[in-house]
């Protein structure tokens, strides 16, 4: 059974069709990295998986459960999915520990002692065991994103969705977040990652998908898609991303 199965997915915002018939699957233990230019529909695709955006057409199944079925208990499905956003979305008035325990206690109905134990384990996992009593404003951007990852892990998800988790970070802080994500890969976590970090995709992805204009242009192993892409649009995108100083005004 696939962790995620997407068939014929379409999404429109008014007259603007953002996703135009996406067919995609993610297998258990797989790391699928989605790359592409801004406006290609990557984040919308991710948000449709747990119905943060309601698809206009198509079907989505998570571990065999069709989340696009109107009778689906989407809250039950969401409890099995961790999501990390571009922005950290931490509660500024709560400590780091409280940010990690509030959903455990209210959604999973864990007692305070168990929730604190799970929070401590996951803070240690992301290298922030000493920050449990701090507030988000006292942390760097990289530390806040690591807290956001620990918060998702505290819900014991079966799969993780990452929506460009390093895009809001200073360059020198990117590495610490990617290190945590690599550790999740090593632990066998199923991951669907929207990213602009090509080196990360090349290193850890099982497959890379290149999207443009709301469709999947190319899909395959990282060595193929990033190293020797078949499609001209993929080659053009990688040229602009990997060699930005060589982009000419004529290309613009």
């Amino acid at each position: 059974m696939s962790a995620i199965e997407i068939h014929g997915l379409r999404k429109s915002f008014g007259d603007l069709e953002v996703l135009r018939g996406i067919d995609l699957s993610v297998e258990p233990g797989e790391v699928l990295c989605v790359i592409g230019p801004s406006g290609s529909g990557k984040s919308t695709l991710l948000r449709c998986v747990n119905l943060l955006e309601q698809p206009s057409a198509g079907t989505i199944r998570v571990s065999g459960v069709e989340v696009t079925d109107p009778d689906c208990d989407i809250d039950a499905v969401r409890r099995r999915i961790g999501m990390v956003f571009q922005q950290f979305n931490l509660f500024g008035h709560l400590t780091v520990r409280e940010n990690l325990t509030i959903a455990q206690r209210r959604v999973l109905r864990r007692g305070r002692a168990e929730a604190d134990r799970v929070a401590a384990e996951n803070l240690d996992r992301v290298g922030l065991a000493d920050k449990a009593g701090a507030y988000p404003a006292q942390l760097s951007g990289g530390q806040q994103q690591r807290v956001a990852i620990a918060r998702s892990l505290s819900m014991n998800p079966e799969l993780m969705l990452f929506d460009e988790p390093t895009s809001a970070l200073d360059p020198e802080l990117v590495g610490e977040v990617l290190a945590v994500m690599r550790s999740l890969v090593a632990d066998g976590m199923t991951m669907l990652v929207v990213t602009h970090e090509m080196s990360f995709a090349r290193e850890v992805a099982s497959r890379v998908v290149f999207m443009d204009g709301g469709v999947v242009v190319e899909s395959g192993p990282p060595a193929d898609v990033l190293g020797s892409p078949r499609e001209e649009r993929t080659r053009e995108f990688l040229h602009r991303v990997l060699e930005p100083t060589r982009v000419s005004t004529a290309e613009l």
Side-chain angles (χ1 to χ4, degrees):
M1 182 186 300
S2 296
I4 303 173
E5 292 182 70
I6 301 172
H7 297 289
L9 178 62
R10 293 180 177 273
K11 175 61 182 177
S12 297
F13 296 97
D15 294 333
L16 178 63
E17 191 172 30
V18 178
L19 299 176
R20 301 190 290 123
I22 300 292
D23 294 309
L24 202 61
S25 66
V26 181
E27 302 307 313
E30 186 175 28
V31 180
L32 182 63
C33 286
V34 182
I35 64 172
S38 297
S40 60
K42 307 183 302 297
S43 293
T44 301
L45 167 66
L46 207 68
R47 292 171 67 85
C48 282
V49 171
N50 59 3
L51 294 198
L52 291 180
E53 295 290 354
Q54 184 68 43
S56 303
T59 60
I60 301 172
R61 288 181 172 84
V62 175
S63 298
V65 178
E66 184 183 341
V67 300
T68 44
D69 184 338
D71 295 326
C72 172
D73 183 353
I74 188 60
D75 290 334
V77 175
R78 284 174 178 156
R79 286 196 287 270
R80 299 153 63 183
I81 304 173
M83 185 160 186
V84 178
F85 301 87
Q86 296 180 33
Q87 301 298 328
F88 321 123
N89 293 348
L90 300 175
F91 294 111
H93 65 292
L94 299 181
T95 66
V96 166
R97 179 187 295 107
E98 291 166 339
N99 267 279
L100 267 65
T101 58
I102 185 170
Q104 292 188 65
R105 298 181 65 192
R106 294 189 178 182
V107 178
L108 300 183
R109 302 298 181 186
R110 288 175 178 162
R112 181 183 295 274
E114 183 183 7
D116 285 346
R117 177 186 60 78
V118 172
E121 289 177 355
N122 284 299
L123 284 174
D124 183 62
R125 189 175 183 180
V126 302
L128 293 173
D130 60 334
K131 300 296 184 181
Y135 288 88
Q138 298 172 312
L139 306 178
S140 70
Q143 289 172 328
Q144 290 186 61
Q145 192 62 293
R146 283 190 280 159
V147 170
I149 294 173
R151 177 180 57 184
S152 291
L153 293 175
S154 294
M155 301 297 286
N156 299 119
E158 297 176 8
L159 65 99
M160 293 280 288
L161 309 177
F162 290 88
D163 187 6
E164 298 196 28
T166 61
S167 65
L169 302 179
D170 291 335
E172 65 179 352
L173 302 178
V174 169
E176 61 189 56
V177 174
L178 295 182
V180 172
M181 294 175 67
R182 286 189 188 93
S183 73
L184 297 182
V185 174
D187 290 342
M189 177 66 74
T190 304
M191 296 163 60
L192 177 56
V193 184
V194 171
T195 184
H196 59 270
E197 300 292 342
M198 298 301 129
S199 59
F200 176 79
R202 187 187 302 272
E203 176 186 346
V204 306
S206 310
R207 282 187 295 141
V208 173
V209 167
F210 172 64
M211 286 183 62
D212 189 33
V215 300
V216 173
V217 176
E218 188 164 350
S219 174
D224 293 345
V225 176
L226 301 177
S228 54
R230 300 185 309 272
E231 303 296 330
E232 176 59 31
R233 181 65 185 98
T234 314
R235 291 194 291 270
E236 177 189 357
F237 170 78
L238 291 173
H239 166 62
R240 293 191 174 206
V241 170
L242 300 177
E243 302 176 294
T245 61
R246 298 190 180 184
V247 176
S248 67
T249 54
E251 291 179 72
L252 301 179

